[in-house]
Amino acid sequence: MHDYFTITGNSCRIPFADLCRRDVRYQSYFTKKEYQGSQCIHPQGTKINHFGIVVSGILKAVDNTLDGTEMCHAYFEPKDIFPEFLYFSGERYYTYSLYAEKKSTVIWVPVCVMEEMLSKDQQLMYALLLYISQRGLKNQLYLHCLNYQTIRERVAYWIVGMNNLTPNEAVHMPCSQAVLANMLHVSRASLNQELKLMEKEGFFKIVKKEMREVDMARLNELL
């Protein structure tokens, strides 16, 4: 799913995260930090004092069940912001624990600074609304994806239902199969086996972190 949004009065497509980072009036308030893989950034219950902008890597929001099982319910990738849904819905504390899935870099913007930026810049506010709408749509599509029963169907929907593909366009895969398995709510071993079978049957060709030669017609037939 593309993360670029048309800004009113601007022919360019600029992500919300980039608009924030380019605002020289407030850059002195920004703090950049690096985190190692598996590092806990904020435990559940931490007060929300900053908005985060992912520069590189990937973060995950997790909850732990009573038996200690980790349940991941969201990922934050480069140019994502957080915790926008929590804060703008009135929540002032993290309702999940935030971890770095892999080595990651985050820019932190104080809440008061972000609020001032939004109040003084209509283009930035518009870009935020588009970003939040896009994430909301993405979450709805994931729920629809999980309604499919088989791993093959979920993979097919993840490819053609959640990516605005053009003919011959490659699909960028997550940083690891474990991340994609978590997204699809299946085991890593089962996903790996199914991807190999689907590649052998000609649905796509996996080259490093991309799916190429995607047969969209055949994938649509599975849905």
Side-chain angles (χ1 to χ4, degrees), residues 115-141:
E115 290 179 338
E116 182 175 335
M117 292 171 65
L118 292 170
S119 68
K120 293 185 176 181
D121 191 331
Q122 290 186 344
Q123 287 191 342
L124 188 64
M125 175 64 80
Y126 182 68
L128 174 64
L129 292 175
L130 289 176
Y131 172 82
I132 291 176
S133 297
Q134 192 79 350
R135 277 200 67 90
L137 174 60
K138 185 177 181 180
N139 290 340
Q140 287 185 333
L141 291 175

Side-chain angles (χ1 to χ4, degrees), residues 168-202:
N168 301 317
E169 183 180 358
V171 179
H172 181 72
M173 298 178 67
C175 62
S176 70
Q177 279 193 12
V179 171
L180 181 56
N182 282 336
M183 290 177 173
L184 301 181
H185 289 204
V186 299
S187 72
R188 181 179 178 181
S190 297
L191 175 64
N192 182 58
Q193 182 180 30
E194 192 61 55
L195 288 176
K196 288 181 178 178
L197 285 173
M198 294 180 75
E199 182 177 23
K200 184 177 180 180
E201 294 172 26

Side-chain angles (χ1 to χ4, degrees), residues 93-156:
Y93 297 87
Y94 279 86
T95 59
Y96 52 78
S97 294
L98 182 68
Y99 283 84
E101 173 71 18
K102 56 182 290 188
K103 186 176 180 179
S104 304
T105 302
V106 177
I107 288 177
W108 295 100
V109 184
V111 165
C112 59
V113 172
M114 181 66 78
E115 290 179 338
E116 182 175 335
M117 292 171 65
L118 292 170
S119 68
K120 293 185 176 181
D121 191 331
Q122 290 186 344
Q123 287 191 342
L124 188 64
M125 175 64 80
Y126 182 68
L128 174 64
L129 292 175
L130 289 176
Y131 172 82
I132 291 176
S133 297
Q134 192 79 350
R135 277 200 67 90
L137 174 60
K138 185 177 181 180
N139 290 340
Q140 287 185 333
L141 291 175
Y142 268 123
L143 289 175
H144 186 64
C145 180
L146 298 180
N147 284 331
Y148 287 99
Q149 298 302 307
T150 69
I151 298 175
R152 177 164 295 206
E153 289 170 339
R154 292 184 184 185
V155 169

Side-chain angles (χ1 to χ4, degrees), residues 35 41 54 56-61 72 74-77 82 98-102 104-106 108:
Y35 301 93
I41 299 173
V54 182
S56 64
I58 184 169
L59 312 182
K60 62 181 179 180
C72 176
Y75 285 100
F76 302 106
E77 301 175 279
F82 62 91
L98 182 68
Y99 283 84
E101 173 71 18
K102 56 182 290 188
S104 304
T105 302
V106 177
W108 295 100

